[in-house]
Amino acid sequence: MNILVIGSGGREHALAWKLAQSPKAQKVYVAPGNGGTARSPHLVNIDITDVKALADFAEREKINLTVVGPEAPLAAGVVDEFRARGLRIFGPTKAAAQLESSKAFAKDFMKRHGIPTAFYETFTEATAAHAYVDKHGAPIVIKADGLAAGKGVVVAMTLAEAHEAVDWMLPSDDGDNKLGVQHNAGADGQAVPRVVIEEFLQGEEASFIVLADGKNVAVLATSQDHKRLLDADEGPNTGGMGAYSPAPVVTPNVHAKAMQDIINPTLAGMAKDGIPFTGFLYAGLMIDAQGNPKTLEFNCRMGDPETQPIMMRLKSDLVDVFFSATDGTLDQVELQWDRRFALGVVVAAGGYPLNPKKGDVITGLPAEADDAMVFHAGTQLVDGKVVTNGGRVLCVTALGDSAKLAQQRAYDYLLGIQFNGMQFRHDIGWRAINKPR
């Protein structure tokens, strides 16, 4: 059968790589793909990003299954367009994708349905937002309400940082929008700049991701990523500098609480609100010292770089899994996992995260191995050479019998890769290595 994966990042490379391993997959297209998918003999890049043009392509090429990777096409209604044409696609509708595309929608939803999360207030005026910050102090979290390409959340450790974030996310008196965020429409249909300001939660973060068919879920392996740019969790926040699976912090008790208090009520709440949720549901958890999880955020897609180690561990046929998900029969699916740890190290461009440099030639890329793989994200193929084309360039991922061995294998596999300005953390997996499994 013919399969289409929408997106261009490391997440999409990993999904397409796994789908192509199925004996049922005849052709796997990636739209628009990247340098890694372009080099793969099992994948075909197509330079299409427009929603209607993607649906036209799916009709023309008789695509049997489409999987959506990133959030922007979901927020643009790609699932609605495909379904209107009778095309099989895995992902949430535009209305359901508001769980990610609107922080205010998500927080109001969680409050309405009793899902544990941080206390919060939503603001459209800077004066009121500044007053709230002064009242509650720091640390405090400021979130832009809308898609902001990963730049919409500031964990402000001081009052000065919090006030600066408010000024950055809400337009000034002259209407200047410094963040460039894609705001969501208000009741009158107009785009309304909003910020959500919420309490700072203490604990350890983990990624809890499930596949949902509207009623049932299949739970993916747990994972944990590293947001800070530098070793020892220092430096600025990023989209993620590496990840590993499983995450020891998600104990059986935490897993049960996450399902009972967060995932199941979310599926039930969306159905009750008339917006049944299908697709990847990603709950970013903050787990306190007592093992109680709260929801930091929802995403309507798999995480990046969590996808890469999760796909390395998945033994089930992913085509079968997605067909069950789109048929509404996920209750009949039991996912099979490699017992080993998987760990991925992100290699980023010089200047990342603020001003990533593009166009540098990448050399020394190793061949795919049984226990290791280089997934591409910010790359493109130019005149037969792979060059940098984004902030997070590669995710070097490996399997090992322990977190320590997976870490050692990933860093050994990375050794020959070179390009100007490349940067990566040297301690990915340190939390798992310092904890018993």
Side-chain angles (χ1 to χ4, degrees):
M1 64 180 66
N2 295 326
I3 299 167
L4 172 63
V5 176
I6 297 175
S8 63
R11 166 185 49 231
E12 289 77 42
H13 188 184
L15 288 169
W17 170 82
K18 191 64 188 178
L19 285 163
Q21 293 175 9
S22 170
K24 299 178 179 68
Q26 181 180 353
K27 271 191 176 180
V28 179
Y29 298 94
V30 191
N34 56 41
T37 55
R39 294 173 80 217
S40 171
H42 308 295
L43 307 174
V44 180
N45 281 6
I46 56 165
D47 190 17
I48 304 175
T49 55
D50 176 75
V51 166
K52 292 189 183 302
L54 285 166
D56 290 341
F57 174 85
E59 286 184 329
R60 185 170 64 251
E61 297 299 324
K62 297 181 172 52
I63 299 296
N64 304 100
L65 168 69
T66 299
V67 179
V68 188
E71 65 274 22
L74 297 171
V78 67
V79 171
D80 308 71
E81 178 70 25
F82 271 59
R83 286 185 180 173
R85 303 194 194 192
L87 296 166
R88 183 185 293 264
I89 185 168
F90 182 70
T93 61
K94 182 176 182 177
Q98 289 179 97
L99 275 178
E100 176 171 5
S101 65
S102 172
K103 302 291 193 299
F105 175 92
K107 296 295 286 191
D108 291 346
F109 171 85
M110 285 187 271
K111 183 177 181 180
R112 189 165 62 249
H113 293 284
I115 296 164
T117 188
F119 294 117
Y120 74 101
E121 292 287 346
T122 303
F123 299 91
T124 58
E125 296 181 353
T127 301
H130 285 302
Y132 185 86
V133 167
D134 284 330
K135 178 182 177 182
H136 290 274
I140 198 166
V141 181
I142 320 293
K143 296 181 176 180
D145 178 46
L147 298 180
K151 299 181 293 184
V153 178
V154 173
V155 180
M157 302 308 292
T158 66
L159 282 174
E161 290 175 349
H163 289 302
E164 182 182 7
V166 169
D167 287 336
W168 187 45
M169 295 180 189
L170 286 175
S172 57
D173 293 340
D174 62 6
D176 182 33
N177 182 358
K178 300 180 181 66
L179 179 58
V181 63
Q182 179 186 326
H183 291 292
N184 292 280
D188 60 357
Q190 299 299 308
V192 180
R194 285 185 290 250
V195 295
V196 173
I197 304 180
E198 62 183 40
E199 69 172 318
F200 174 80
L201 296 176
Q202 296 274 11
E204 189 171 342
E205 287 188 48
S207 305
F208 200 92
I209 311 171
V210 304
L211 293 90
D213 65 11
K215 295 183 295 184
N216 313 296
V217 300
V219 184
L220 294 176
T222 60
S223 58
Q224 189 169 35
D225 73 345
H226 300 60
K227 289 295 187 189
R228 298 286 182 173
L229 179 69
L230 305 175
D231 290 2
D233 290 334
E234 296 184 351
N237 263 329
T238 71
M241 292 301 293
Y244 57 87
S245 173
V249 68
V250 184
T251 63
N253 184 52
V254 170
H255 191 286
K257 287 182 178 179
M259 288 300 298
Q260 177 181 314
D261 299 341
I262 297 171
I263 299 298
N264 289 335
T266 298
L267 267 288
M270 292 293 281
K272 184 179 180 181
D273 291 350
I275 318 171
F277 189 92
T278 58
F280 292 112
L281 180 62
Y282 171 128
L285 305 181
M286 181 64 80
I287 303 162
D288 68 17
Q290 290 73 45
N292 297 309
K294 286 188 175 181
T295 314
L296 290 173
E297 64 177 357
F298 283 122
N299 290 326
C300 298
R301 54 189 164 84
M302 286 195 74
D304 189 345
E306 295 98 327
T307 307
Q308 292 88 315
I310 289 174
M311 288 298 110
M312 286 285 287
R313 291 189 61 218
L314 181 65
K315 296 174 73 174
S316 303
D317 187 315
L318 192 55
V319 172
D320 289 342
V321 174
F322 282 134
F323 264 76
S324 292
T326 49
D327 283 339
T329 57
L330 277 177
D331 55 328
Q332 301 172 26
V333 170
E334 185 174 346
L335 298 175
Q336 302 297 316
W337 300 99
D338 193 309
R339 61 174 180 79
R340 291 175 289 178
F341 265 84
L343 185 144
V345 180
V346 168
V347 182
Y352 179 76
L354 293 178
N355 297 294
K357 190 171 179 290
K358 297 182 180 182
D360 289 307
V361 175
I362 305 169
T363 60
L365 289 166
E368 181 178 345
D370 290 339
D371 63 347
M373 175 71 185
V374 177
F375 294 107
H376 290 234
T379 69
Q380 64 178 151
L381 199 59
V382 179
D383 297 329
K385 296 178 180 179
V386 181
V387 302
T388 62
N389 190 43
R392 291 181 295 163
V393 178
L394 306 167
C395 185
V396 181
T397 311
L399 293 163
D401 286 329
S402 67
K404 182 66 177 176
L405 289 172
Q407 182 194 60
Q408 182 179 336
R409 176 66 172 125
Y411 281 105
D412 286 347
Y413 198 57
L414 186 154
L415 276 177
I417 300 172
Q418 291 187 339
F419 60 87
N420 290 336
M422 65 181 280
Q423 54 178 329
F424 58 90
R425 284 181 57 160
H426 301 80
D427 63 348
I428 299 301
W430 68 271
R431 289 184 187 273
I433 290 166
N434 294 331
K435 285 189 177 185
R437 188 170 181 180

